[in-house]
């Protein structure tokens, strides 16, 4: 969950170029310390009495970078961040950095390089590590630098910089790179070995040595000659400024590696695409030829990468804490994986007792404090997450009042945090180029820890709100603040000057890192991989709900990639990663040097196993890929625990249900009476999760859908297909096994894959008109008849004036002499298709009124929030899910009453159209 054991003013406002990175409109500079962001805002200076990044003694700290890099956003939370973030006052260089296969540590004389190949099991058997131990140090003769700074970086490479006034040294290092590329001036190339080396090859400017059982090749410019004197090896550079070295998988690899010795890596970049149920990613290095014309290179692929590439690999391998790394002779490779789908909620099933679930929902909705006293970013996020999971569940069983109450609670708390000046707010740090929420927690302020954990809950909650209220999620409303949190944690742009590219996610390692400073001997770490997944799932849902396919596909790439990393490095699903001497089947934390069966705050097995499960959401389905690993995981927890889970039983039941729903259901049935839910969970959600999976079966990850919001479940050999369609028109989802599923607009559907589907839209969303469902008919009438002709009516312009809430030249549809008995718990629903063509800034709005007795006085008036149309020709769907803007009066039984629907343009300067005479032009009243 957290990276730290403690668990415990600018003169000018920044102009944020949001538009340049596809995350919304640019914010304009202002004179005050408040930066507007749509309806929200944040500050450019910390609240009084709070702190930003510090050293371990509490002294303020700024990025340790060269002048060339001073204006670049620093990617904290990386494998090498201690180069730029000096956590300890007495260490101006770095802590150990784990690139794999090599390890590194900066010192005054240059760069220590190691290749640890023998694991140690420490901490009473709870941790395995391939700790950094220097085989040699890369430097220049006489170099004695007072510090080391970050000079340049790319997606997974970094260039440290040393200077003592007379000599300068730069080295480029990275994940998967067996080479170290050095550029220096003011001294000869100098390699200092940890012991007297054994020379196995000497070809003048190419020297092969063995140190501590590891083989290295040293490469100086042509014409130079390496000289060995004890443990010191030097070479004059002959007027050049470059040299390199490589760790070899074997001595006979020297000839192969020699080809690439002077093809210096200058950058690294990942690109991704998510199409047709498949996520592809290409990892590329850029190079320059220091000698000759060779521009290729050698890369070592992690297990999570080589399992999913069809690119040619050599027979060479390396040892690493992540298992065997395999070698490729090329500057690029591509991986391909089935998309890990995300659903807003598990689909409707016959296994759920709606009355029982309603009772559980009411316990949460009617709690005296649904946020349980939360005040900081993390615990507020957890509370938002708990409510967010219940919104689609309440909607699914027709509890619209509960749904709307939960949505209101979420909106209210999000808006508090998204508005500067209150007890809770976000603040931008111009030095570290990061957004921090205050009150902060667990070092999110002083160490820049865990932003991706904390903010994941806000993004996910906002995505659920956006599913039901698109106007709330608009950039002009609260969407810009959501996207600002995304920019801080998972920015897809490399050119954004305000935030770094993918701050916490290490694209080559395949997962995120939690510590902002990486100031540990074991490197960086991540405990709660599942909270990192929560951010990725939130991006999928937010992007889908708001039509931002770029963020949706980024979420799919991050989730699918990290899912495989979790499978291999946290759960060791193939039992090919953890050393044989490590006696555990899972780890609670992954470190740069290895992994640990532990958490930051407890040795309780339930929490060690549960920390990589929470929160349980529609983004957790990926865990079901390796069902045998889940069963081993639960079995180990029960062994270590001395019996079944008690404290976090609900999380672990839900986890087990991904592999064996019947067993999990039996545990729920036996133990649900007297437990206290984990703080991010609720009985309502756990009951719905476990009983649904018991009914439809465990997720089937062998099949994927061609949209990221789809999933498949299998029980007794029968597959159930589910998908949520955020589009304004119906669509057919195709699955990789050839099955298809028809999904209505803005709805979830389930089916057997034969083309049709059981729609699970908002339960109160009207279908074809019947007794209490009326079609809009051109000419101003509402009718239950279904045989009329389809048509369109034109909505008059708002004439450039804000008409929100007040009908202006409305188009009116009405029916009289209606009898009906008010249905308990029901509410008004409508489904309309509107189109603004290419006109920008229009917003149709609906008001529905009830004259209960037909006496000409409307006893109940419900005004719904307007629907902001897009400037693209084509029908968009406007429903009651937009939420009510105002309600007056009360409903009662209808006796010869009148129902009226008015629709008008609340904003803009142009006309729009509304469809009539179809089953997408209906209003359903809450009567029987």
């Amino acid at each position: 969950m957290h990276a730290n054991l403690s668990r415990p003013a600018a003169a000018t406002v920044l102009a944020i170029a949001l538009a340049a990175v596809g995350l919304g409109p640019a914010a304009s500079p202002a004179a005050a310390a408040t930066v507007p962001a749509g309806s929200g805002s944040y500050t450019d200076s910390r609240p009084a009495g709070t702190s930003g990044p510090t050293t371990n003694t509490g002294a303020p700290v700024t990025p340790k970078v060269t002048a060339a890099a001073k204006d670049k956003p620093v990617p904290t939370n990386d494998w090498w961040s201690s180069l730029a973030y000096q956590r300890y006052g007495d260490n101006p260089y770095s802590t150990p950095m784990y690139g794999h296969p090599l390890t590194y540590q900066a010192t005054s004389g240059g760069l220590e390089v190691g290749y640890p190949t023998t694991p140690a099991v420490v901490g009473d058997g709870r941790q395995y590590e391939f700790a950094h131990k220097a085989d040699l140090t890369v430097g220049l003769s006489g170099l004695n630098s007072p510090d080391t700074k970050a000079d340049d970086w790319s997606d997974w490479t970094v260039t440290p910089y040393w200077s003592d006034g007379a000599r300068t040294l730069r080295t480029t290092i990275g994940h998967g790179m067996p080479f170290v590329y050095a550029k220096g001036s003011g001294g000869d190339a100098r390699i200092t070995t940890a012991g007297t080396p054994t020379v196995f090859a000497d070809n003048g400017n190419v020297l092969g040595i063995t140190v501590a059982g590891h083989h290295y090749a040293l490469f100086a410019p042509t014409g130079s000659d390496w000289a060995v004197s004890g443990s010191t090896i030097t070479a004059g550079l002959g007027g050049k400024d470059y040299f390199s070295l490589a760790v070899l998988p074997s001595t006979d690899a020297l000839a192969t590696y020699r080809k690439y010795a002077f093809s210096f890596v200058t950058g690294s970049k990942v690109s991704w695409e998510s199409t047709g149920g498949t996520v592809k990613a290409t990892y590329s290095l850029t190079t320059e030829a220091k000698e000759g014309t060779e521009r290729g290179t050698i890369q070592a692929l992690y297990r999570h990468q080589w399992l999913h590439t069809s690119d040619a690999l050599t027979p060479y391998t390396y040892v690493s804490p992540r298992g065997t790394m395999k070698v490729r002779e090329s500057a690029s490779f591509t991986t391909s994986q089935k998309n890990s789908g995300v659903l807003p909620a598990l689909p409707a099933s016959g296994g759920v007792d709606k009355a029982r679930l309603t009772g559980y929902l009411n316990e949460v909705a009617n709690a005296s404090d649904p946020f349980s006293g939360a005040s900081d970013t993390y615990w507020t996020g957890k509370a938002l997450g708990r409510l967010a999971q219940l919104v689609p569940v309440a909607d699914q069983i027709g509890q619209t009042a509960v749904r709307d109450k939960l949505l209101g609670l979420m909106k209210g708390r999000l808006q508090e945090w998204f508005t500067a000046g209150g007890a809770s707010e976000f603040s931008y740090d111009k030095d570290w180029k990061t957004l921090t929420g205050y009150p902060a927690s667990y070092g999110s302020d002083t160490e820049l820890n865990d932003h991706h954990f904390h903010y994941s809950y806000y993004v996910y909650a906002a995505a659920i709100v956006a599913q039901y209220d698109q106007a709330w999620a608009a950039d002009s409303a609260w969407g810009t603040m959501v996207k600002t949190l995304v920019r801080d944690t998972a920015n897809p742009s490399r050119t954004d000057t305000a935030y770094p590219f993918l701050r916490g996610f290490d694209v080559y390692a395949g997962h995120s890192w939690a510590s902002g400073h990486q100031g540990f001997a074991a490197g960086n770490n991540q405990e709660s991989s599942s909270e990192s997944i929560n951010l990725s799932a939130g991006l999928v849902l937010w992007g889908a709900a708001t039509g931002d396919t770029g963020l949706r596909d980024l979420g799919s790439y991050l989730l699918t990639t990290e899912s495989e990393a979790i499978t291999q490095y946290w759960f060791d699903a193939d039992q090919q990663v953890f050393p044989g001497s490590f006696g555990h089947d899972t780890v609670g934390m992954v470190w740069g040097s290895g992994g640990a069966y532990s958490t930051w705050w407890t040795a309780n097995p339930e929490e060690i196993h549960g920390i990589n499960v929470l929160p349980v959401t529609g983004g957790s389905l990926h865990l079901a890929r390796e069902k045998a690993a889940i069963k081993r995981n639960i079995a180990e927890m029960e062994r270590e625990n001395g019996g079944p889970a008690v404290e976090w039983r609900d999380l672990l039941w839900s986890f087990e249900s991904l592999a064996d729903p019947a067993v999990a259901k039996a545990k729920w049935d036996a133990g649900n009476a007297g437990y206290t839910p984990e703080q991010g969970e609720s009985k309502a959600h756990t009951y719905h999760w476990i009983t649904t999976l018991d009914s439809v079966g465990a997720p089937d990850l062998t099949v994927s859908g061609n949209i990221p919001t789809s999933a498949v479940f299998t029980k007794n050999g029968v597959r159930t297909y589910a998908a949520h369609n955020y589009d304004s028109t119906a669509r057919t989802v195709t699955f990789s096994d050839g099955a298809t599923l028809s999904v209505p607009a803005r709805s979830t559907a389930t089916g057997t894959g034969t083309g049709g589907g059981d729609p699970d839209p908002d339960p109160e969303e009207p279908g074809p008109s019947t007794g209490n469902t009326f079609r809009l008919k051109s000419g101003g009438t509402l009718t239950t008849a279904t045989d009329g002709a389809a048509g369109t009516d034109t909505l008059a312009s708002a004439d450039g004036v804000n008409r929100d809430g007040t009908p202006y030249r409305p188009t009116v549809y009405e029916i009289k002499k209606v009898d009906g008995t008010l249905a308990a718990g029901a509410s008004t629903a409508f489904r309309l298709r509107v189109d603004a063509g290419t006109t920008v800034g229009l917003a149709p709005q609906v008001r529905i009124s009830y004259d209960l007795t037909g006496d000409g006085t409307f006893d109940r008036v419900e005004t719904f929030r307007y629907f902001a149309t897009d400037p693209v020709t084509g029908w968009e769907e406007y429903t009651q899910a937009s939420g009510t803007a105002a309600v007056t009066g009360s409903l009662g039984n209808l006796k010869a009453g009148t129902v009226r629907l008015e629709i008008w343009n609340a904003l803009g300067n142009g006309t729009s159209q509304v469809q009539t005479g179809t089953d997408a032009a209906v209003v359903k009243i809450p009567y029987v």
Side-chain angles (χ1 to χ4, degrees):
M1 194 184 322
H2 301 292
N4 190 304
L5 185 59
S6 60
R7 261 186 79 101
T12 304
V13 170
L14 300 166
I16 309 300
L18 282 159
V21 297
L23 288 177
S28 300
T34 297
V35 182
S39 296
S41 56
Y42 56 93
T43 63
D44 69 350
S45 58
R46 290 186 292 273
T50 63
S51 179
T54 66
T55 65
N56 65 320
T57 60
V61 65
T62 55
K64 184 165 61 76
V65 299
T66 64
K70 68 181 179 65
D71 294 325
K72 291 180 64 176
V74 175
T76 57
N77 308 77
D78 215 330
W79 67 272
W80 56 264
S81 294
S82 62
L83 278 172
Y85 190 137
Q86 186 176 339
R87 178 65 175 163
Y88 307 102
D90 61 352
N91 181 359
Y93 305 104
S94 80
T95 53
M97 302 172 289
Y98 293 81
H100 306 143
L102 293 173
T103 62
Y104 318 94
Q105 185 166 8
T107 68
S108 61
L111 181 71
E112 289 184 357
V113 177
Y115 173 42
T117 54
T118 303
V121 176
V122 299
D124 295 326
R126 287 179 168 268
Q127 183 164 349
Y128 78 88
E129 59 181 15
F130 292 76
H132 168 70
K133 183 178 180 181
D135 287 340
L136 51 83
T137 300
V138 181
L140 301 173
S141 295
L143 178 65
N144 185 22
S145 178
D147 58 23
T148 308
K149 298 176 180 177
D151 183 57
D152 194 13
W153 50 84
S154 59
D155 287 10
W156 63 89
T157 66
V158 64
T159 301
Y161 170 90
W162 296 257
S163 177
D164 61 9
R167 289 158 287 269
T168 62
L169 174 69
R170 292 175 174 85
T171 63
T172 296
I173 56 179
H175 278 314
M177 287 170 48
F179 280 92
V180 175
Y181 306 95
K183 295 180 67 175
S185 64
D188 292 342
R190 177 185 173 113
I191 307 297
T192 306
T193 58
T196 302
T198 299
V199 176
F200 66 82
D202 187 349
N203 301 302
N205 70 320
V206 179
L207 187 71
I209 61 173
T210 300
V211 183
H214 304 137
H215 311 301
Y216 290 89
L218 313 181
F219 305 98
T222 299
S224 299
D225 189 17
W226 290 102
V228 181
S229 177
S231 60
T232 301
I233 307 172
T234 57
L237 297 179
K240 304 295 196 299
D241 66 351
Y242 56 85
F243 61 102
S244 67
L245 69 83
V247 63
L248 303 178
S250 60
T251 56
D252 63 7
L254 177 59
T256 299
Y257 280 62
R258 183 175 183 170
K259 291 190 298 184
Y260 306 107
F262 301 114
S263 178
F264 273 41
V265 168
T266 58
S268 56
K269 184 177 182 180
V270 65
S271 59
W272 62 84
E273 63 177 5
S274 176
T275 55
T278 299
V279 174
K280 291 185 177 180
T282 298
Y283 300 84
S284 302
L285 295 173
T286 55
T287 63
E288 64 174 348
K290 292 295 186 182
E291 294 186 7
T293 59
E294 180 61 62
R295 296 289 300 274
T297 190
I298 289 177
Q299 300 187 73
L301 279 63
Y302 283 116
R303 181 176 180 81
H304 77 275
Q305 296 169 324
W306 57 256
L307 282 172
H308 296 286
T309 188
S310 58
D311 292 338
L313 303 175
T314 72
Y316 298 129
T317 62
Y318 289 105
V319 174
S320 87
R322 310 292 180 252
T324 299
M325 300 182 79
K326 297 189 177 184
V327 173
R328 174 165 165 78
E329 269 189 271
S330 176
S332 70
F333 63 91
T334 297
T335 61
S336 180
Q337 295 173 254
K338 281 186 168 61
N339 195 351
S340 296
V342 180
L343 293 174
L346 293 183
S349 76
V352 173
D353 182 328
K354 293 183 180 180
R356 184 177 185 181
L357 180 55
T358 298
Y360 288 146
L361 288 167
N362 285 331
E363 288 177 7
V364 177
N366 298 330
S368 58
D369 179 9
F371 292 92
S372 304
S375 61
D376 63 69
T377 47
Y378 182 70
W379 291 105
T380 297
K382 291 268 288 186
L384 286 167
R386 182 175 64 248
L387 301 181
Q389 298 313 309
L390 299 183
V391 169
V393 170
D395 194 27
Q396 192 177 91
I397 64 169
Q399 291 297 325
T400 56
V402 174
R403 177 203 67 191
D404 292 345
K405 185 173 184 178
L406 296 173
L407 283 169
L409 289 168
M410 292 161 58
K411 290 179 186 178
R413 188 56 58 96
L414 286 169
Q415 289 166 200
E416 287 177 17
W417 276 92
F418 289 170
T419 304
S424 52
E425 66 178 18
F426 286 95
S427 172
Y428 182 79
D429 186 315
K430 65 180 178 61
D431 293 322
W432 287 97
K433 300 189 186 302
T434 187
L435 192 75
T436 302
Y438 293 92
S441 52
Y442 308 121
S444 60
D445 50 352
T446 56
E447 301 178 58
L448 300 184
N449 295 336
D450 299 354
H451 284 202
H452 64 309
F453 292 164
H454 295 208
Y455 303 171
S456 74
Y457 293 101
Y458 294 72
V459 175
Y460 199 112
I464 294 298
V465 173
Q467 180 179 335
Y468 294 90
D469 188 346
Q470 291 184 309
W472 185 92
D475 288 344
S476 58
W478 301 99
T480 296
M481 276 303 298
V482 178
K483 292 178 180 180
T484 304
L485 266 64
V486 171
R487 292 173 74 205
D488 182 67
T489 54
N491 191 2
S493 172
R494 297 178 182 84
T495 59
D496 189 343
T497 59
Y499 296 93
F501 172 71
L502 295 181
R503 178 186 304 281
F505 192 82
D506 186 329
V507 296
Y508 204 89
H511 59 81
S512 295
W513 296 111
S515 169
H517 52 74
Q518 186 260 310
F520 303 96
N524 214 324
N525 71 91
Q526 179 166 260
E527 185 181 58
S528 184
S529 60
S530 46
E531 286 180 305
S532 180
I533 287 287
N534 195 47
L535 176 61
S536 303
L539 291 174
V540 172
L541 297 181
W542 170 265
T546 60
D548 190 332
T549 56
L551 284 185
R552 181 200 66 190
D553 292 348
L554 168 63
S556 291
Y557 163 67
L558 297 177
L559 194 159
T560 301
T561 303
E562 190 154 23
S563 173
E564 186 61 53
I566 292 166
T567 295
Q568 299 299 331
Y569 311 142
W570 273 261
F571 297 155
D572 195 14
D574 298 334
Q575 298 180 293
Q576 296 293 313
V577 172
F578 298 169
S581 55
F582 182 62
H584 294 282
D585 292 321
T586 189
V587 294
M589 306 171 70
V590 160
W591 287 89
S593 65
Y597 186 77
S598 63
T599 72
W600 278 112
W601 78 99
T602 183
N604 180 355
E606 295 185 33
E607 289 164 277
I608 292 171
H609 288 257
I611 193 59
N612 286 291
V613 175
L614 66 80
V616 176
T617 76
S620 303
L621 304 178
H622 76 99
L623 292 170
R625 180 180 295 104
E626 299 291 342
K627 294 176 174 58
I630 293 176
K631 293 176 182 179
R632 285 199 307 271
N633 192 304
I634 295 295
E636 180 183 19
M637 183 279 298
E638 293 184 347
R639 286 195 308 271
E640 295 285 333
N641 204 44
V646 177
E647 185 176 351
W648 277 9
R649 68 182 78 176
D650 47 355
L651 289 175
L652 294 164
W653 289 338
S654 295
F655 183 39
E656 189 167 14
S657 70
L658 294 169
D660 197 334
V663 169
K665 175 64 160 51
K667 291 182 178 180
W668 159 269
D669 289 341
N672 70 76
Y675 81 96
T676 300
E678 186 273 332
Q679 287 171 289
E681 262 297 349
S682 63
K683 283 192 174 181
H685 182 249
T686 301
Y687 170 71
H688 180 267
W689 182 274
I690 291 173
T691 53
T692 299
L693 291 181
D694 185 54
S695 180
V696 301
D700 184 348
L701 275 297
T702 65
V703 182
S704 62
N706 67 344
I707 65 171
T709 51
S710 59
V712 182
F713 306 86
T714 299
K715 182 175 183 179
N716 298 327
V718 177
R719 284 176 175 160
T720 297
Y721 300 82
H724 188 87
N725 176 16
Y726 286 91
D727 294 346
S728 58
T729 57
R731 68 175 300 162
T732 297
V733 177
T734 302
F735 293 84
S736 58
D737 63 352
T740 59
L741 179 69
S742 299
V743 191
R746 297 203 171 101
S747 301
T748 296
T750 59
T752 58
T754 56
D758 296 324
D760 178 27
D762 297 340
E764 78 287 11
E765 183 176 291
S769 49
T770 57
N772 61 352
T773 304
F774 305 95
R775 285 194 182 192
L776 280 63
K777 183 178 180 180
S778 294
T781 61
L782 295 172
T783 177
T784 57
T786 60
D787 55 356
T792 57
D793 284 345
T794 299
L795 308 183
S797 172
D799 294 332
V801 176
N802 188 332
R803 313 287 184 179
D804 184 12
T806 304
Y808 177 71
R809 295 193 289 169
T811 300
V812 180
Y813 303 89
E814 191 174 85
I815 186 169
K816 296 183 177 181
K817 296 184 179 180
V818 179
D819 294 329
T821 301
L822 185 63
S827 57
T828 305
F830 62 87
R831 180 183 180 194
L832 303 176
R833 286 184 179 162
V834 293
D835 179 24
T838 58
T839 305
V840 176
L842 301 191
Q845 188 165 25
V846 161
R847 184 168 79 176
I848 297 174
S849 306
Y850 298 88
D851 173 359
L852 299 179
T853 60
D855 63 1
T857 300
F858 285 96
D859 305 280
R860 168 82 165 192
V861 178
E862 302 175 2
T863 304
F864 293 83
R865 292 189 178 92
Y866 62 70
F867 176 79
T869 53
D870 62 34
V872 179
T873 300
W875 294 111
E876 298 177 79
E877 200 149 288
Y878 175 24
T879 74
Q880 78 293 331
S882 62
T884 54
V887 177
T888 60
S890 301
L891 287 170
N893 294 337
L894 283 164
K895 187 173 183 179
T898 299
V899 179
R900 173 184 293 175
L901 183 147
E902 301 165 272
I903 182 169
W904 69 99
N905 278 313
L907 301 175
N909 199 359
T911 61
S912 60
Q913 292 185 314
V914 62
Q915 200 173 97
T916 62
T918 72
D919 60 8
V922 294
V923 58
K924 182 177 181 180
I925 62 176
Y927 290 86
V928 293

